[in-house]
Amino acid sequence: MERIFKLSKYGTNVRREIIAGLTTFMTMAYIIALNPNILTNYGIDGGQELWNAVFMATCLASGIAMVCMAFIANKPFCLAPGMGLNSFFAVVVAQIVTITGVSYVASFQAALIIVLAEGIVFLILTILNIREAIVDAIPYGVRMGISPAIGMMLLNIGLGSNVYIANSEGTQFKVMADFFGSLTAGYASSTMGDAYPIMVLSVQTMFIGLFVIVLLAHKKVKGAVIIGMLVASIVYWIGEGVYIGADPFAALATANWLPPFADMVNLTLFKFNFSGFLELGLFTAITLIITFCMIDMFDTIGTLVGTADRAGMLDKEGKMPQMKQAMLSDSIGTLAGSCMGTSTVTTFVESASGVEAGGRTGLTALTCGVLFFACIFIAPIAGLIPAAATSSALIYVGIIMLKGLKNVDWEKLEDGVPVALMLIAMPISGSIGHAIGLGLIAFTIINVCTGNGKKKYTLTYVLAAIFLIKFFLAV
């Protein structure tokens, strides 16, 4: 392990790296079931067979990407089909159904070609060092704001959108907006109905887990994040049985433990529908590929830079060593995903939880990747981790990442204004890439209008112009 991952060079050890990998896995394991839910509308579109195929593709493509990250880049970043991009993919599939009139499965197979093209484009751009040049085009001041902006996004996920409860009528309630936004406890109870007891348990679980992590971290306990998540999970399971009167492990009784390889082979494995894809028209097809590329590129760049900053991996110029290799792993993951049957694979912002747990090398990514492979057989167990326990970790890591604000020069408007916009845009839009684009636009306008424009920012201005076109002119 020492020879492969150079553990001593990065001040870590096998135990710490494995704990970090397990921590990241627990915070992002939700994607294993959520991704096929989103891409098949909970199995309604395409049937259970397509859901099974996407489930398999999610586990396998994620695992392959993380193995690449481990051995090619030796970085602790973990990858899986990206949130946001998978929703966009599902919308595109629905549009193909409308345009072509073919089945959802055939439209799904046509949309996979977009992901395949994106992966090929990224592979070429990475080999030619163009993606690295784009990273370098993000000004240092703006780059220093990416990590705290991601922290705000994690806080929003943990407090706002990661834990939501639906009542018997199907109405969904979110922690921050509905529970803490209620005037009184009585008002919340009457509004939420039968969802209120579960919401109370979720909120209690979330904060118990958070403060366990904080106290353990204060005492310098290794593995504080994962211990806090385990404590939160136990609290939730006990509360679900005693307070709610439900069996927290009931799903295990009817769980299917056999991997549905046949469904993936029959429906998505190298099942590209080129004829259906060509029916979209050349302009529409190219537009979709460019859109996927832009969103994924800046999401990946933002996550890599922000998480590397928290791990102390950036040099004095704000650059990360082996950035090319990390993005190469991302490209391979996307290609693998397209061939197996899932949307774009990208670096997950939840990797920050593993970094906070001490992960510094590819052994963290390898551990998480092995667990994703194992989920082909043990997915029901992974599904037992309550969202409230995941929130505990995300909230803590989000708070820690706000420390990066001290590196921003707030006296310089060309730095302070873009960072401030990213801080609010990232959690609200839910897109790292779009928030960075807004920051680049603000940086460009301020520099040009104040007469501070310099030739070294030429590519920065080009990127800002591309985002302006995407935001306001693209159809």
Side-chain angles (χ1 to χ4, degrees), residues 86-171:
N86 53 8
S87 298
F88 184 43
F89 182 91
V91 170
V92 170
V93 174
Q95 290 176 340
I96 295 175
V97 171
T98 302
I99 294 173
T100 63
V102 299
S103 69
Y104 190 87
V105 171
S107 298
F108 189 96
Q109 294 167 341
L112 287 176
I113 297 172
I114 300 173
V115 183
L116 175 66
E118 177 192 355
I120 294 172
V121 169
F122 275 173
L123 189 63
I124 294 172
L125 293 180
T126 303
I127 293 173
L128 297 178
N129 297 320
I130 296 176
R131 290 180 81 185
E132 269 193 293
I134 292 174
V135 176
D136 294 340
I138 300 176
Y140 177 81
V142 177
R143 204 177 301 174
M144 290 299 98
I146 293 176
S147 179
I150 290 177
M152 289 292 291
M153 187 175 182
L154 289 176
L155 282 169
N156 182 59
I157 294 172
L159 286 169
S161 57
N162 191 47
V163 176
Y164 63 87
I165 307 297
N167 61 17
S168 57
E169 285 77 35
T171 305

Side-chain angles (χ1 to χ4, degrees), residues 178-189:
D178 298 299
F179 186 84
F180 288 107
S182 296
L183 297 175
T184 64
Y187 177 81
S189 178

